[in-house]
Amino acid sequence: MSPPLLGVEGQDQCNVSLMASSASVDTVSQNGLGLKERNYLGLSDCSSVDSSGVSSVPEENKNNLNLKATELRLGLPGSQSPERDPDFSPLSSVKLDEKQLFPLVPSKDGICLLSPKTVVSGNKRGFADTVDGFLESKSTIFTEGNWIFNAAGSDTGSKLAGNMLSHRSSGTQSTIKTDVPAKASQECDNKINGSNTNSAPAAKAQVVGWPPIRSFRKNTLASTSKNNDEVDGKPGPGTLFVKVSMDGAPYLRKVDLKTYSTYQELSSALEKMFSCFIIGQCGSEGAPSRETLSESKLKDLIHGSEYVLTYEDKDGDWMLVGDVPWEMFIASCKRLKIMKGSDAIGLAPRAVEKSKVRN
Amino acid sequence: MCLFQSVMNYFPEEVLEHVFDFLTSHRDRNAVSLVCKSWYSVERFSREKVFIGNCYAVDPERLIARFPRVRSLTLKGKPHFADFNLVPHDWGGYVYPWIEAMAKNGINLEELRLKRMVVSDESLELLAKSFPNFKSLVLVSCDGFSTDGLAAIASNCRFLRELDLQENEVDDRKGQWLSCFPDTCTSLVSLNFACLKGEASVAALERLVARCRNLRSLRLNHAVPLDTLQKILVQAPQLNDLGTGTFVHDPDSDAYCKLKNAIKKCKSIRSLSGFLDVNTRCLPAVYPICTNLTSLNLSYAPGIYSSELIKLICHCKKLERLWILDTIGDKGLDVVASTCKELQELRVFPSDLYGVGNAAVTEEGLVAVSAGCPKLNSLLYFCQQMTNAALITVAKNCPNFIRFRLCTLDPTIPDAVTNQPLDEGFGAIVQSCKGLKRLSVSGLLTDQVFLYIGMYAEQLEMLSIAFAGDSDKGMLYVLNGCKKLKKLEIRDSPFGNVALLADVGKYETMRSLWMSSCEVTFGACKTLAEKMPRLNVEIINEGEQIEASPDDRHRVEKMYLYRTLVGPRRDAPDFVWTL
């Protein structure tokens, strides 16, 4: 399996990392995408240095946040900071099984095929060093096997993990090549901004002309979405974020109603989102301890007696979720609230009954 | 050989002409005209349809001199990347000189098809007034005109059959251009004004449809309400191709009910598009025509959620072409795979352009479609992520790709599972799809992918590269390997002077080369221009001070070069230098 990855990507990691504690696996996993760490062209190589701890625990790597790597900072993500561990050894294992996936004709004679690529770390000091090396290497580009060993500013820790191409060649060539500085910084921008989604879409610097869509289409989609959406205050086209509050929870959450198509989906998503609070609440009420609380019990708590899902509609009334067709619900829902059964008297008959039973 | 030639000379020219009539492709005709002088002569007088892929490769005078009997002209102007805002607005591509020259020389123009050209209202007026037999105007991705120009066309072209406006930027002056069609106009076969933003005169539209009994294709803009659509469909149940306007109504109303009945009677509709504004609860009205649809374009309908899309597609078993948004999701593509067994062309566009929200498709959707739709030969796929394994599977499932355009929303994203570059995946595609003519690559890519492309993509004519490659070698592999390459466009990739200058003769075999944000320098471009007088090497400098003589080592931001018979163009703006 591929070695644990360097750098962090995913939809709202910046948000999550800033507000969550290090062990907030659930807040991360509620994001349907899960965490995928990406290694762009070695830009995040230095962040890999920091995540050496992460890389040694493959099972957890998907959920562990490399918080330092996601910290918003002015420099490129790979910028060295003093705390980073310089002893991180590069992932040098060559992915030989990649070759079997597609047995192409082996290297032609006389063509120097690509060999392991080392990308200079993205830190600014290295940039200046590489420029000269890059220009130099171009002049000898045709000489077979005569790649210039460019040691400009490249740390041992900056071998590009995910970009090993040596499996094709004999592997004896240990040539190193520099990345294109301009390209690097552009990708850098993408990467920084790629992780900055839900919070501030306006702040995301778009690469000009990417994705390659005709501006006519872009403009039309933008204005069409505005027409279709009936609820105000959404950040972007095709989304419908509403606040979700829960009694007793210290903070609210937001969900995008457009990502669900049935009540069932919404309800399970909310369950996952708020499960941590329910565990906490049970604990404080002297209910069974955390370890013995099973998933089914959680479901019981939400579906069953304790909680009722309600929403505030356009007229400002609090309604029980589930009465109207899904599309109508989406069109009129302004916010959601998970109410305790005891508070929901007057909204749902069964909740009333249950609270009577408990009393 | 001599015997053959004398035998051929026996044939009177009329016979040759008749034989040539069967040659419809302009490439065949071009080939035929190279055989010998008499064939050249016969061919040029009999050619009625001319295709000019780059309007600056020749000029109107040459066109008229060689093909005096031309009736249909297709012209393309700006480079392809102009669609993505990489080319300044007034770079060029004006159609006026062509219309003016043809008008002056008495050309009997009947059809004009333009792509990425600047079309002014004056051009349209001149067009409308100069060619009494004018029948067909098709404008794709053009700009520079307003509804006043359309009014001129409507008023003056007495035999107009086709007015097809696709994705143009039109200045909508909210005039009554639709009312300008005279009452005597009954010849319309195809009318597409979906790209217009303003109000359309609904009454005029209804009357027009009523009197044009041959109308087969009608695409409305979003300003046409649902009840007008209903009235139109009642008048024109013979339609083959329908683009709805706004599709919003109360599904419990009478009007909606009437619409449902009207649609049921339109048994000839094979192509459906539109739905810019849609109430998804009205969608079931189109289910009855879905069974016979061969073409469906819902790519402008972000308001249709995945579940509704799926319900709709389940009815479309004969679909050959599907354009859709990525709101359909991988699940939806699964449904496409199991329902649309005749599918040949799939385009999945991104709905979420600002990085918010989760609507996207991944490699899974593509693999599913490739497995379920063996006839798939044309793809445009915007996706969140991709893997080599998926591409390899797709290549195995569908060896018939002619066009394969993959666009990862993150331009340099690696394989989502292995973190490797996507070289192997695209390599599989080019090796398997021997007939591949058009390829766009994206994701993390090294020079290796270009080695594969050079080795295997023998029929490749157009290649689009962005943020890919490591060195000049990449570009060299392509230039050396792809013998049939016609258009190469590259942005933000580390290809430089060595690659540019390695084989300068190659560019005369190609239509054009675009390089932006690469590593080519001013000096190299000058060298190239000096060596190849029949190329126009244009440097596009926007927003920069135009220095008297820029440093040769200065990197060039945007370079566009193309072969031409007529030297540097005279309409280039200040910021474009032809070296």
Side-chain angles (χ1 to χ4, degrees):
Chain A
M1 196 43 215
S2 110
L5 311 173
L6 321 166
V8 184
E9 196 236 24
Q11 287 230 336
D12 52 359
Q13 266 127 40
C14 270
N15 273 345
V16 175
S17 62
L18 286 173
M19 65 181 217
S21 64
S22 55
S24 56
V25 175
D26 18 323
T27 53
V28 168
S29 63
Q30 62 85 20
N31 173 354
L33 286 184
L35 264 191
K36 285 171 191 148
E37 294 178 301
R38 296 259 179 271
N39 185 11
Y40 299 103
L41 279 174
L43 292 174
S44 55
D45 273 325
C46 291
S47 64
S48 76
V49 166
D50 194 43
S51 59
S52 50
V54 177
S55 63
S56 58
V57 190
E59 284 82 19
E60 293 174 8
N61 72 330
K62 285 217 165 185
N63 291 327
N64 260 339
L65 293 173
N66 185 359
L67 297 178
K68 280 214 174 120
T70 60
E71 247 177 75
L72 296 176
R73 43 175 75 211
L74 289 178
L76 299 178
S79 297
Q80 294 275 4
S81 56
E83 318 87 77
R84 300 211 189 235
D85 178 9
D87 291 333
F88 175 76
S89 53
L91 300 156
S92 55
S93 60
V94 166
K95 305 270 327 304
L96 286 172
D97 44 321
E98 281 284 312
K99 182 179 177 175
Q100 308 319 321
L101 277 179
F102 191 70
L104 284 180
V105 172
S107 56
K108 276 184 185 167
D109 290 338
I111 291 186
C112 174
L113 288 175
L114 296 162
S115 24
K117 186 174 106 119
T118 293
V119 176
V120 177
S121 70
N123 83 53
K124 290 182 176 174
R125 198 184 55 219
F127 179 99
D129 290 341
T130 65
V131 172
D132 294 335
F134 180 72
L135 288 176
E136 214 185 309
S137 68
K138 269 201 276 187
S139 58
T140 55
I141 218 144
F142 265 125
T143 324
E144 286 151 20
N146 187 16
W147 295 84
I148 290 184
F149 187 96
N150 189 335
S154 51
D155 309 312
T156 50
S158 58
K159 267 232 176 88
L160 184 63
N163 207 6
M164 293 297 169
L165 303 166
S166 60
H167 55 82
R168 190 138 300 280
S169 67
S170 60
T172 55
Q173 293 167 326
S174 60
T175 58
I176 298 179
K177 198 184 329 204
T178 61
D179 191 13
V180 180
K183 187 172 159 195
S185 57
Q186 215 152 21
E187 283 151 16
C188 222
D189 284 339
N190 293 349
K191 194 162 161 301
I192 294 178
N193 296 313
S195 53
N196 208 4
T197 53
N198 292 349
S199 55
K204 176 173 178 173
Q206 297 274 308
V207 177
V208 171
W210 198 271
I213 311 172
R214 282 192 183 149
S215 27
F216 177 84
R217 180 176 286 279
K218 261 194 217 172
N219 298 337
T220 308
L221 274 184
S223 54
T224 319
S225 302
K226 276 203 204 104
N227 292 340
N228 281 335
D229 293 330
E230 295 172 30
V231 183
D232 292 335
K234 294 162 312 309
T239 62
L240 184 52
F241 282 95
V242 294
K243 289 186 191 173
V244 187
S245 60
M246 174 160 162
D247 297 337
Y251 47 80
L252 282 64
R253 303 298 305 273
K254 266 206 167 174
V255 287
D256 177 5
L257 290 181
K258 288 244 174 113
T259 59
Y260 313 111
S261 51
T262 64
Y263 286 117
Q264 181 57 40
E265 282 174 34
L266 174 64
S267 150
S268 9
L270 289 178
E271 262 169 60
K272 288 192 198 129
M273 235 192 239
F274 286 90
S275 54
C276 55
F277 303 123
I278 296 167
I279 295 175
Q281 297 224 338
C282 288
S284 67
E285 285 169 18
S289 64
R290 278 184 201 221
E291 290 83 46
T292 60
L293 255 185
S294 64
E295 213 189 297
S296 50
K297 282 221 169 185
L298 276 179
K299 281 197 180 136
D300 283 341
L301 286 170
I302 296 194
H303 278 318
S305 46
E306 293 274 343
Y307 294 93
V308 169
L309 188 56
T310 63
Y311 71 102
E312 182 182 5
D313 74 355
K314 290 188 154 172
D315 302 323
D317 299 321
W318 283 99
M319 321 279 293
L320 181 69
V321 166
D323 287 330
V324 297
W326 177 256
E327 279 78 19
M328 204 183 285
F329 163 67
I330 288 206
S332 53
C333 170
K334 282 174 58 185
R335 50 189 300 175
L336 286 163
K337 185 163 173 178
I338 304 177
M339 288 187 186
K340 267 200 205 160
S342 46
D343 296 336
I345 292 171
L347 278 182
R350 60 183 165 84
V352 170
E353 234 177 292
K354 295 268 163 73
S355 65
K356 278 191 193 152
V357 166
R358 230 175 286 123
N359 292 341
Chain B
M1 191 58 177
C2 292
L3 178 63
F4 177 74
Q5 206 156 356
S6 56
V7 166
M8 289 310 290
N9 282 340
Y10 255 1
F11 282 146
E13 292 191 349
E14 291 82 10
V15 175
L16 276 180
E17 237 185 82
H18 187 65
V19 171
F20 293 166
D21 271 349
F22 291 99
L23 298 173
T24 45
S25 130
H26 65 272
R27 285 186 196 187
D28 289 342
R29 283 204 156 238
N30 289 346
V32 145
S33 66
L34 291 175
V35 167
C36 64
K37 280 196 187 149
S38 71
W39 281 35
Y40 176 89
S41 176
V42 172
E43 196 282 317
R44 75 176 249 264
F45 282 109
S46 64
R47 184 157 349 182
E48 293 185 345
K49 286 196 185 167
V50 176
F51 170 86
I52 297 179
N54 174 6
C55 65
Y56 289 120
V58 292
D59 61 20
E61 287 70 36
R62 278 186 174 240
L63 164 72
I64 295 164
R66 181 164 170 195
F67 300 117
R69 306 233 177 100
V70 61
R71 295 212 197 157
S72 160
L73 178 61
T74 303
L75 278 174
K76 294 194 185 178
K78 300 184 192 177
H80 177 231
F81 277 172
D83 277 344
F84 317 132
N85 295 333
L86 289 181
V87 176
H89 193 72
D90 33 359
W91 171 87
Y94 305 101
V95 76
Y96 189 84
W98 295 85
I99 298 177
E100 188 184 32
M102 287 189 287
K104 274 204 196 126
N105 287 282
I107 298 288
N108 183 17
L109 192 67
E110 291 181 7
E111 180 178 83
L112 188 60
R113 311 169 81 93
L114 305 176
K115 189 166 188 184
R116 278 190 291 273
M117 293 203 68
V118 178
V119 182
S120 60
D121 283 342
E122 289 75 26
S123 320
L124 291 176
E125 278 159 37
L126 186 58
L127 176 70
K129 294 187 179 146
S130 310
F131 306 107
N133 291 325
F134 192 72
K135 295 194 173 67
S136 168
L137 180 64
V138 180
L139 302 178
V140 180
S141 201
C142 297
D143 63 280
F145 62 104
S146 75
T147 43
D148 291 348
L150 297 178
I153 298 279
S155 319
N156 296 294
C157 300
R158 291 191 300 149
F159 303 114
L160 192 68
R161 282 204 213 136
E162 180 178 22
L163 180 59
D164 186 359
L165 308 170
Q166 298 177 29
E167 299 191 333
N168 303 291
E169 299 283 354
V170 184
D171 180 13
D172 201 320
R173 304 244 172 103
K174 309 213 181 342
Q176 301 292 323
W177 70 276
L178 268 175
S179 330
C180 293
F181 283 104
D183 290 338
T184 48
C185 171
T186 57
S187 49
L188 266 186
V189 173
S190 166
L191 178 63
N192 172 7
F193 60 96
C195 64
L196 294 185
K197 305 259 163 60
E199 298 293 319
S201 161
V202 150
L205 177 63
E206 288 172 33
R207 285 196 310 270
L208 183 64
V209 171
R211 62 181 185 269
C212 294
R213 306 311 310 156
N214 292 325
L215 194 66
R216 289 279 176 276
S217 166
L218 180 63
R219 296 194 187 189
L220 311 168
N221 75 346
H222 79 97
V224 177
L226 197 100
D227 37 15
T228 307
L229 175 64
Q230 181 262 325
K231 290 187 202 146
I232 287 175
L233 290 179
V234 165
Q235 290 289 345
Q238 77 281 4
L239 281 178
N240 284 343
D241 167 23
L242 174 66
T244 69
T246 196
F247 211 75
V248 172
H249 216 286
D250 178 359
D252 298 320
S253 65
D254 264 346
Y256 178 71
C257 201
K258 277 199 228 164
L259 175 73
K260 274 205 293 189
N261 292 332
I263 291 185
K264 268 192 219 149
K265 298 211 179 97
C266 297
K267 299 200 192 295
S268 305
I269 294 185
R270 297 285 173 272
S271 164
L272 187 62
S273 60
F275 302 100
L276 262 73
D277 280 320
V278 55
N279 175 354
T280 50
R281 290 172 66 217
C282 292
L283 271 183
V286 303
Y287 290 173
I289 49 174
C290 284
T291 23
N292 286 323
L293 280 185
T294 55
S295 167
L296 179 61
N297 181 355
L298 297 175
S299 64
Y300 281 104
I304 308 183
Y305 313 137
S306 173
S307 48
E308 294 298 330
L309 280 175
I310 289 175
K311 273 193 233 160
L312 188 77
I313 287 180
C314 281
H315 290 87
C316 305
K317 298 201 185 344
K318 293 199 189 153
L319 218 52
E320 292 169 16
R321 183 160 76 159
L322 178 61
W323 290 25
I324 203 143
L325 288 172
D326 60 5
T327 43
I328 194 175
D330 288 332
K331 264 195 290 180
L333 289 176
D334 257 332
V335 175
V336 171
S338 50
T339 313
C340 310
K341 294 303 181 186
E342 304 295 316
L343 196 68
Q344 294 175 27
E345 175 178 337
L346 175 66
R347 295 197 190 189
V348 181
F349 292 95
S351 57
D352 167 20
L353 302 169
Y354 303 99
V356 193
N358 306 321
V361 292
T362 70
E363 74 276 11
E364 292 177 13
L366 182 59
V367 169
V369 174
S370 74
C373 308
K375 297 190 183 176
L376 196 63
N377 62 40
S378 175
L379 180 77
L380 172 60
Y381 197 73
F382 286 83
C383 55
Q384 181 94 297
Q385 64 184 49
M386 187 47 60
T387 66
N388 285 310
L391 285 173
I392 291 168
T393 308
V394 169
K396 278 202 208 111
N397 290 338
C398 295
N400 297 320
F401 273 116
I402 298 174
R403 284 176 290 275
F404 190 89
R405 295 195 277 164
L406 190 84
C407 180
T408 53
L409 292 175
D410 178 333
T412 53
I413 197 172
D415 182 314
V417 166
T418 66
N419 243 9
Q420 300 291 312
L422 291 175
D423 300 335
E424 301 301 313
F426 282 107
I429 295 285
V430 291
Q431 197 192 27
S432 166
C433 305
K434 309 224 185 292
L436 194 68
K437 288 198 183 163
R438 182 169 179 181
L439 178 66
S440 298
V441 295
S442 63
L444 183 65
L445 294 166
T446 70
D447 286 344
Q448 185 75 355
V449 70
F450 300 114
L451 172 66
Y452 294 148
I453 292 174
M455 270 167 66
Y456 295 111
E458 289 170 11
Q459 303 297 322
L460 195 66
E461 294 178 3
M462 181 168 176
L463 178 62
S464 306
I465 300 171
F467 303 97
D470 311 309
S471 73
D472 285 328
K473 284 211 155 210
M475 185 168 163
L476 284 165
Y477 292 143
V478 170
L479 290 175
N480 293 334
C482 299
K483 299 294 176 209
K484 298 207 176 169
L485 194 64
K486 293 222 156 28
K487 289 198 284 186
L488 180 58
E489 46 186 26
I490 306 173
R491 62 167 292 188
D492 295 273
S493 300
F495 305 137
N497 300 337
V498 173
L500 183 70
L501 296 176
D503 178 8
V504 294
K506 172 83 176 173
Y507 305 124
E508 272 196 9
T509 68
M510 291 167 53
R511 188 187 295 172
S512 64
L513 167 68
W514 167 280
M515 292 181 77
S516 61
S517 305
C518 296
E519 299 296 322
V520 291
T521 65
F522 195 73
C525 294
K526 276 202 297 193
T527 308
L528 177 57
E530 274 165 41
K531 284 192 184 169
M532 303 294 297
R534 289 202 294 191
L535 293 182
N536 277 353
V537 180
E538 293 188 7
I539 309 291
I540 300 171
N541 289 302
E542 335 157 64
E544 277 174 31
Q545 305 292 6
I546 298 184
E547 303 163 26
S549 52
D551 197 320
D552 276 1
R553 285 168 300 166
H554 198 78
R555 218 167 55 98
V556 161
E557 189 52 39
K558 293 182 183 172
M559 179 203 73
Y560 179 55
L561 68 81
Y562 51 90
R563 65 181 175 189
T564 177
L565 295 174
V566 293
R569 56 188 175 108
R570 274 156 277 157
D571 61 2
D574 285 338
F575 54 82
V576 172
W577 295 349
T578 308
L579 298 178

